[in-house]
Amino acid sequence: MRGARAFLLLVPLSYQPAVAQDQLRADESVRETDAAFPGAEPRDAAGEPTLWCVRIVDAIDRRPIAGALVQVPWHREEGVPEPETHFQCAGRADDDGWVRLPWVAVQGWRDYVFADAVGYAANEYCSPGDSVCILQRGVDVPVQVVDYMGRAVPSARVELVLGCGHVPSQRTAFTDAHGHAVLPAIQPSRHEDLFVTAKDCILGGYRLRRTWRTGDPPVVIDVVPGTSVSGRVVDTNGRPIAGMRLGASNQARWTRTDRDGRFTLTGIAHWQTIAFVPPEPTGLPRGQFVAPPAAQPRLLVLGQQEPSVQVRVHAHGPADEPAAGVRVTLVRKSDGLVVTARADDDGMVELAAPAGAYRLLADGELGRWGRTEVALDVDASAVPTQSLSLPRNPTVRVDASRVQDLTLGITTADAFLQLYPAAVDGKDVPVPQEPATFRISTRADGELPVRHVPVPAPGSALVLEGFPETRVLAHFVDPDGAAIAGTLVVQRRLGPQDLGWEAPHEPFSSAVASTLLTGTVTWIAMPADAALAPLHGDLVLKGGGGEVDLGALTFAKPRAPDLTVQFPAGIDSATVQVAQVGRNGFLWSRIDEQGLASGLSAATTGDQVTISTGEPNALPMHFPAPGPPPWNVV
């Protein structure tokens, strides 16, 4: 429907408040006045700010988001118990999207301030002093949590914690019996900042393997093997120490002891160093201890001093060869005290431990040596050197020639060891007695393909395969059917599609784009002749290699532009963008120097079209599409 007209307004603001506010609509007025907030002016008599006024708007059409929430977190630099994470100040947007917070609550340097709204993805960079904060529309993303052996992890809590673990989470979901959950209203292309709490898994920052698109299977989150520790803290008189803060020294999420001095830490690494901070009134110093095995409770007596005895251990194999590098650990049975170290090249370890009855463990941690355990009594007298014999792990012959550029490791339910393909190729690689897998992964276009290969029977030969590329083929012809040069790219696309894409390589009449991506992807064909229009479309790749032939792609001469915009004086066309929002998704396009835009042909009647610019004091213009383009806008 040619000739549909609307106006891109350039409106000078008659009043410029002390705290800048731009993008007011024609029917709006400045709100931070004494009449709206009795006794609260943007600045006090001395000219110092008293309010931070920020407007929360939609990233696509720049419309204000009524009811949006801005939250200022209490941000502790040290580990913090999760129940103590909180927001120290919050404000909700009015009908015009404005949020007003006391300046005293937000002033100074801050890592994160959060803006959020129903149906939108949270934004942790709502910076004090800014007058506008944009929110992207959120997508409900199905996920599956699996361990490093590829097994589903049920009853896991999955959190989106933007920024770091010292602040409250923005989204939470729990996995079902198959490890499935749905994270509501997030950005599918943002893969990081996920925390997973689950049995036998380390609590930490995880990633989505890939970007999710409608119709794709759930996106996998891989979690690392870990453990838990429980225990009790008392003083030298046996009285419980309540309120003591403790946690893994390299993690943000800690815990506190309860009124009986008891605690539980979930999601820590095996033999993790645990730091603790007693309550200040006790006058007791900070300290640390090593986490015992999961089944062993830890009784920590603060202020207790015990003399230590040197314990020498000789770790060796069946033929008395030194078991260099194995971890040797003493675990006291009475209270879970742990002393651990690695054997030197001669298989020798020296451990300083107080008297008591101990478990003496040695673990090759998925290397050449297996595991063993004996009982050992340590008293105040000198302890003779303990001889500890470890079994050799069996081996499999590994051909790693096809995974030389990939990341390789071997994993069990409770351990992971990274391997280097060049070092193990053609070698007999030790494997554990318990079930294990080889884990192969790589990076492709910002995503994380992963493959699990079960470890075969000892003595077997195994060829490790990489990730097969799928070849997408196309042949380019001009409007007359003659072969023409062009380029083809396949990539993950979600939401905004910027038609200003540039070709990554030389054009040819027959093009091949190779990719490791699976699921829904977008192909883009760019003609070498700038007088012809580009083409793009979606396809679903199932992986496993092979070829997908798009056939002959015919570039056409651009018809009349989808949109023609006549700018008022002073508007730079480079700052203008067009957003089309409708049931087919949303699309971004740019305006060229002549005020022309293409790529909006999917628009249908009723779709919302927005023309906006970064120029100060220029208001975005919105109109419902009167029908398929072209449109002429003044």
Side-chain angles (χ1 to χ4, degrees):
M1 178 177 178
R2 186 178 300 276
R5 291 178 177 268
F7 295 90
L8 180 65
L9 300 180
L10 181 65
V11 180
L13 300 183
S14 59
Y15 167 75
Q16 183 65 32
V19 180
Q21 294 186 356
D22 57 6
Q23 300 186 16
L24 288 174
R25 295 202 303 255
D27 57 346
E28 293 178 346
S29 61
V30 176
R31 297 296 183 86
E32 65 276 39
T33 66
D34 186 66
F37 294 88
E41 289 284 356
R43 294 183 182 270
D44 60 20
E48 296 298 322
T50 60
L51 288 177
W52 172 38
C53 305
V54 59
R55 191 178 209 183
I56 313 303
V57 301
D58 186 295
I60 301 301
D61 60 20
R62 292 303 195 269
R63 288 181 177 272
I65 304 174
L69 192 64
V70 173
Q71 298 171 299
V72 182
W74 173 69
H75 191 181
R76 188 171 192 159
E77 293 299 326
E78 294 182 308
V80 57
E82 183 187 345
E84 298 176 25
T85 61
H86 65 277
F87 294 107
Q88 65 183 28
C89 181
R92 193 170 292 282
D94 63 15
D95 290 344
D96 296 321
W98 287 107
V99 177
R100 298 157 183 85
L101 294 174
W103 186 252
V104 68
V106 299
Q107 65 184 346
W109 177 80
R110 294 190 175 278
D111 287 316
Y112 313 107
V113 173
F114 299 92
D116 202 357
V118 175
Y120 288 84
N123 180 355
E124 74 272 36
Y125 296 118
C126 185
S127 301
D130 289 352
S131 60
V132 176
C133 177
I134 65 172
L135 293 183
Q136 301 280 355
R137 301 184 184 193
V139 176
D140 295 346
V141 175
V143 300
Q144 183 184 30
V145 179
V146 303
D147 65 16
Y148 257 34
M149 294 184 68
R151 303 174 305 183
V153 177
S155 304
R157 183 176 64 175
V158 184
E159 301 172 272
L160 176 68
V161 186
L162 299 177
C164 68
H166 297 94
V167 298
S169 60
Q170 285 70 60
R171 303 288 185 269
T172 302
F174 294 87
T175 61
D176 61 17
H178 304 289
H180 291 150
V182 176
L183 281 170
I186 68 171
Q187 290 186 45
S189 57
R190 180 170 181 165
H191 300 166
E192 65 277 2
D193 296 322
L194 296 170
F195 278 59
V196 177
T197 305
K199 185 177 183 294
D200 300 328
C201 299
I202 289 180
L203 170 66
Y206 292 107
R207 295 176 54 90
L208 299 174
R209 279 192 193 173
R210 59 178 176 81
T211 297
W212 182 81
R213 291 182 61 168
T214 301
D216 285 353
V219 184
V220 171
I221 304 172
D222 303 88
V223 291
V224 180
T227 186
S228 301
V229 59
S230 297
R232 189 165 184 250
V233 183
V234 299
D235 63 16
T236 53
N237 295 314
R239 294 174 298 198
I241 303 293
M244 188 177 86
R245 189 163 52 91
L246 69 167
S249 55
N250 62 344
Q251 290 183 353
R253 295 284 181 88
W254 285 25
T255 190
R256 285 192 189 272
T257 55
D258 64 16
R259 62 192 304 173
D260 196 35
R262 300 188 183 280
F263 70 91
T264 297
L265 279 171
T266 300
I268 60 174
H270 294 279
W271 315 119
Q272 173 73 55
T273 297
I274 305 299
F276 60 83
V277 182
E280 289 187 9
T282 67
L284 295 168
R286 299 182 177 207
Q288 60 186 33
F289 62 90
V290 177
Q296 172 71 59
R298 180 69 169 102
L299 176 63
L300 185 64
V301 182
L302 297 186
Q304 182 180 46
Q305 300 292 328
E306 294 183 90
S308 295
V309 177
Q310 290 299 118
V311 179
R312 289 174 55 84
V313 178
H314 178 220
H316 58 84
D320 204 36
E321 66 272 39
V326 302
R327 179 181 291 278
V328 179
T329 305
L330 285 169
V331 181
R332 190 157 63 177
K333 298 176 182 178
S334 62
D335 60 2
L337 180 144
V338 171
V339 183
T340 185
R342 292 193 180 277
D344 62 19
D345 290 344
D346 297 322
M348 299 300 299
V349 181
E350 287 195 10
L351 303 171
Y358 285 86
R359 299 165 59 194
L360 175 59
L361 305 90
D363 188 352
E365 297 181 330
L366 303 185
R368 177 183 303 176
W369 306 103
R371 298 172 176 173
T372 193
E373 177 179 343
V374 298
L376 177 66
D377 290 328
V378 176
D379 56 30
S381 61
V383 178
T385 298
Q386 303 298 305
S387 179
L388 201 57
S389 179
L390 287 85
R392 277 184 174 272
N393 276 330
T395 62
V396 296
R397 177 60 62 92
V398 172
D399 179 348
S401 61
R402 305 179 190 183
V403 296
Q404 289 295 304
D405 297 327
L406 308 181
T407 300
L408 175 65
I410 187 169
T411 183
T412 63
D414 63 357
F416 173 78
L417 176 67
Q418 184 169 350
L419 303 174
Y420 297 94
V424 302
D425 183 31
K427 305 289 189 356
D428 291 328
V429 177
V431 294
Q433 298 282 3
E434 63 263 40
T437 65
F438 287 103
R439 184 178 187 275
I440 305 167
S441 63
T442 189
R443 295 285 182 187
D445 294 335
E447 303 189 3
L448 181 68
V450 175
R451 167 176 292 170
H452 300 275
V453 180
V455 170
S460 302
L462 176 66
V463 178
L464 296 177
E465 298 282 355
F467 298 93
E469 291 186 330
T470 300
R471 290 161 47 88
V472 180
L473 314 177
H475 310 281
F476 304 135
V477 295
D478 66 12
D480 299 322
I484 186 176
T487 56
L488 180 70
V489 68
V490 172
Q491 60 188 62
R492 190 81 67 194
R493 284 261 178 166
L494 182 71
Q497 296 180 13
D498 188 344
L499 297 183
W501 171 83
E502 294 183 359
H505 45 75
E506 293 297 320
F508 297 95
S509 58
S510 294
V512 178
S514 298
T515 182
L516 297 181
L517 298 178
T518 60
T520 305
V521 298
T522 294
W523 59 265
I524 304 173
M526 226 31 172
D529 185 351
L532 301 179
L535 300 171
H536 63 88
D538 290 346
L539 71 156
V540 177
L541 301 180
K542 297 182 178 180
E547 294 183 347
V548 175
D549 193 345
L550 299 177
L553 300 179
T554 302
F555 294 118
K557 292 181 179 180
R559 56 177 173 78
D562 292 330
L563 177 68
T564 303
V565 179
Q566 299 178 31
F567 304 113
I571 295 293
D572 180 2
S573 63
T575 69
V576 178
Q577 68 179 23
V578 181
Q580 166 222 326
V581 182
R583 62 175 179 269
N584 294 323
F586 58 91
L587 180 83
W588 275 343
S589 184
R590 293 287 181 183
I591 301 289
D592 65 18
E593 294 179 357
Q594 285 74 45
L596 308 179
S598 300
L600 302 172
S601 56
T604 59
T605 302
D607 284 2
Q608 181 69 36
V609 179
T610 297
I611 305 173
S612 60
T613 173
E615 295 286 348
N617 300 335
L619 306 183
M621 187 209 67
H622 317 277
F623 65 91
W631 310 305
N632 180 37
V633 178
V634 180

